[in-house]
Amino acid sequence: MTLRVGLGYDSHRFVPGRPLVLGGVAIPHDHGLAGHSDADAVAHALTDAILGAAGLGDIGQHFPPADAQWKDADSVGLLRLAHDRARAAGWRLHQADVTVVAEAPRIGPHARAMAARLADATGADPALIAIKGKSNEGMGWIGRGEGIAVLAVATLEAVR
Ligand code: MG
């Protein structure tokens, strides 16, 4: 099996008055994330990991923030589009490992639902989409609750 590995990173600032959407799942919280789209940092990090592995650039090139059509966009929909482009280039998502770094909310209770949505968008096996939550032990901007960071690694396999 021919494999490629990609790494994605994203961060967004917490703001009041917006829903919190991560991995396509609405999570009850007193803040949401600022951004041009729905600010789903999990979907964005995974999208960048897939595009990087496929040699297709990054999320900003495919879905420019200056383009009004992506305002408040469903980022799982963008993930689906990006994966379609990777597929057209001869790759598909085999497996992903995602770490969400935030002091709150807790990610674990939502991990399965997030994996199911990400798997649906990419055609991957949901059992091979891992979502993990970590606190930042109270340190720095994440520790102060100013925002969230997400790291994603994606493995793509060549499509015959
Ligand atoms: Mg983003």
Side-chain angles (χ1 to χ4, degrees):
M1 184 163 63
T2 303
L3 293 176
R4 293 265 193 94
V5 176
L7 170 66
Y9 170 84
D10 197 26
S11 60
H12 281 264
R13 182 183 295 275
F14 277 125
V15 289
R18 268 177 69 101
L20 177 60
V21 179
L22 290 173
V25 176
I27 296 176
H29 194 50
D30 55 0
H31 284 65
L33 294 170
H36 184 69
S37 65
D38 64 3
D40 183 338
V42 168
H44 294 176
L46 180 57
T47 298
D48 256 349
I50 290 168
L51 291 171
L56 291 176
D58 65 34
I59 190 169
Q61 292 170 255
H62 287 261
F63 312 110
D67 188 332
Q69 72 174 306
W70 310 123
K71 178 157 172 47
D72 296 325
D74 167 13
S75 295
V76 172
L78 303 185
L79 169 65
R80 185 184 299 271
L81 274 171
H83 187 268
D84 287 349
R85 292 175 190 181
R87 185 82 197 218
W91 301 96
R92 73 170 162 231
L93 181 65
H94 172 64
Q95 169 263 339
D97 192 13
V98 179
T99 296
V100 180
V101 190
E103 294 301 313
R106 291 189 62 78
I107 298 303
H110 309 285
R112 267 177 175 277
M114 290 161 63
R117 291 237 41 214
L118 300 173
D120 180 65
T122 56
D125 179 351
L128 296 183
I129 308 282
I131 312 283
K132 310 187 299 298
K134 294 285 288 183
S135 85
N136 210 42
E137 299 289 341
M139 296 181 288
W141 60 270
I142 295 175
R144 292 190 294 272
E146 294 174 12
I148 198 166
V150 180
L151 294 151
V153 174
T155 307
L156 306 190
E157 59 183 325
V159 181
R160 291 181 189 281

